[in-house]
Amino acid sequence: VETSIEGDLDLRGFLGVDPNTPMGFSKITGTVTVDAPDATDEQLAALKGAVDAHCPMCDFLGGTCTMTLGLDCKPSEGLAAGNDEGLSAEAIGDLGAALGADPAAAMVIYKSSSKLEKGLCTSVTLPNTPHHGPYVIDEPSAMPGGQNKGPNPMDLCLGALSTCQDITYKAYATAMSIPLAKVETSIEGDLDLRGFLGVDPNTPMGFSKITGTVTVDAPDATDEQLAALKGAVDAHCPMCDFLGGTCTMTLGLDCKPSEGLAAGNDEGLSAEAIGDLGAALGADPAAAMVIYKSSSKLEKGLCTSVTLPNTPHHGPYVIDEPSAMPGGQNKGPNPMDLCLGALSTCQDITYKAYATAMSIPLAKVETSIEG
């Protein structure tokens, strides 16, 4: 399975240039390419229907913007810091003014491309920053076919949210002349696996709740300044805007100083194993509840690092903004790239899992997405 995804985003929303411009993606498009030469058109149509109905990231993101993910089938051959790094209120203001005068220049296309071949382990590259990655994404060993070789797509989604909070807090604190030395964000998301496994049709596939705390090191900021800063971030964070309508989201703000802040086969994947897990979760719904987590930290410029506590032995992952954004040094992908990476790898894994459960022979999936 290979997945390539792109998401369209207008930076005027993030920068507060136009209050009518959404902060998140306006459109997501992509292609899932599967290597399943023995599958019939009817089987592929049924498989796509099953994936569309059960992919957690599609369910979670589908109501936020226009999303079009096509399915293609073809054989494997040919598939494809000592300062704030230029960040200043003046630079942000100048960029906002330039984009206000030329709205077309504010349009950004984010991209993701992923590939799955064995088990449920998939690798994702983010074409806007091809020199970073690829990143390995997998399922935990409790999921048939999972080998825990990397974080889960839903972990990656929370990583996109937490790093986007870091960057938005730092950017808006700078623009509002609020001295801010460091930002740390810790986020959790509750998910019930019965939705993904099709055990209960009334169970959502995505997160039911997201909670978190943003901790800033801003000892000279007044309570009024911090309240104004949180209001600005809540109004302009692209990932908050993108995910906010999908579930209950509560992100608090705390202020304190820095001190004390805390292969050769399908890897056990089989229709029987998936069926057994589904049956077990159907009998014990409480066991289906999974909490995904993300923790990130930003200190200089807009470069932040994210760890995913469910898989602490993988990472940390460096997230940054491109050099065209004041303070950006292009040291890693953007949070919105990361979000599309979560979506494309979730497509890969869901296609492979449901193809296995439906006894459809599938050698590989590739997904390509733009937004």
Side-chain angles (χ1 to χ4, degrees):
V1 187
E2 295 191 16
T3 303
S4 180
I5 293 178
E6 292 193 4
D8 292 9
L9 185 144
D10 189 329
L11 286 175
R12 291 178 298 165
F14 171 67
L15 291 166
V17 174
D18 180 358
N20 298 315
T21 300
M23 276 66 71
F25 291 120
S26 59
K27 180 178 68 173
I28 292 176
T29 57
T31 301
V32 181
T33 303
V34 298
D35 180 5
D38 297 326
T40 67
D41 291 344
E42 291 76 13
Q43 286 179 312
L44 291 175
L47 174 59
K48 186 177 189 306
V51 171
D52 288 347
H54 294 98
C55 175
M57 283 297 297
C58 279
D59 176 73
F60 190 49
L61 303 180
T64 63
C65 68
T66 301
M67 184 185 301
T68 306
L69 298 177
L71 175 61
D72 188 21
C73 182
K74 62 181 179 181
S76 303
E77 291 77 22
L79 290 175
N83 53 35
D84 253 350
E85 312 292 359
L87 180 66
S88 69
E90 292 77 13
I92 293 174
D94 290 345
L95 179 60
L99 298 183
D102 183 8
M107 290 304 301
V108 182
I109 295 180
Y110 293 95
K111 302 179 181 181
S112 170
S113 182
S114 57
K115 181 189 297 186
L116 182 154
E117 293 183 276
K118 294 179 182 178
L120 294 178
C121 184
T122 179
S123 66
V124 60
T125 57
L126 305 168
N128 285 5
T129 55
H131 45 292
H132 303 297
Y135 303 93
V136 175
I137 308 301
D138 199 0
E139 292 287 332
S141 54
M143 178 70 69
Q147 294 295 302
N148 204 28
K149 294 178 179 178
N152 175 286
M154 305 307 281
D155 286 315
L156 205 62
C157 178
L158 291 188
L161 175 58
S162 66
T163 55
C164 203
Q165 282 276 290
D166 293 342
I167 289 170
T168 308
Y169 264 96
K170 187 61 182 281
Y172 270 84
T174 301
M176 298 165 71
S177 299
I178 299 173
L180 191 156
K182 184 162 69 171
V183 188
E184 296 192 17
T185 303
S186 180
I187 292 179
E188 294 189 2
D190 294 5
L191 185 145
D192 189 330
L193 285 175
R194 291 178 298 165
F196 170 67
L197 290 166
V199 175
D200 180 359
N202 298 315
T203 300
M205 276 66 70
F207 290 120
S208 58
K209 181 177 67 173
I210 292 176
T211 57
T213 301
V214 180
T215 302
V216 298
D217 181 3
D220 298 325
T222 66
D223 291 343
E224 291 75 13
Q225 285 179 310
L226 291 174
L229 176 59
K230 185 178 189 305
V233 171
D234 289 346
H236 296 99
C237 175
M239 284 298 298
C240 277
D241 176 73
F242 190 49
L243 301 180
T246 62
C247 67
T248 302
M249 185 184 300
T250 306
L251 300 177
L253 175 62
D254 187 21
C255 182
K256 61 182 178 181
S258 305
E259 293 74 23
L261 289 176
N265 54 35
D266 253 348
E267 312 292 2
L269 181 65
S270 69
E272 293 76 16
I274 292 175
D276 290 345
L277 178 60
L281 297 183
D284 183 10
M289 290 303 301
V290 182
I291 296 179
Y292 292 96
K293 302 178 181 181
S294 172
S295 180
S296 56
K297 181 190 296 186
L298 184 153
E299 294 182 277
K300 295 178 181 177
L302 295 179
C303 185
T304 179
S305 66
V306 59
T307 56
L308 305 168
N310 286 6
T311 55
H313 45 293
H314 303 296
Y317 302 92
V318 175
I319 309 300
D320 199 1
E321 292 287 333
S323 53
M325 177 71 69
Q329 295 296 300
N330 204 28
K331 294 179 179 178
N334 175 284
M336 305 307 282
D337 285 316
L338 204 63
C339 178
L340 290 190
L343 175 57
S344 67
T345 56
C346 203
Q347 282 274 292
D348 293 343
I349 289 170
T350 308
Y351 264 98
K352 186 61 180 283
Y354 270 83
T356 302
M358 297 164 71
S359 299
I360 298 174
L362 191 156
K364 183 165 68 173
V365 187
E366 296 187 19
T367 303
S368 178
I369 292 180
E370 291 191 5

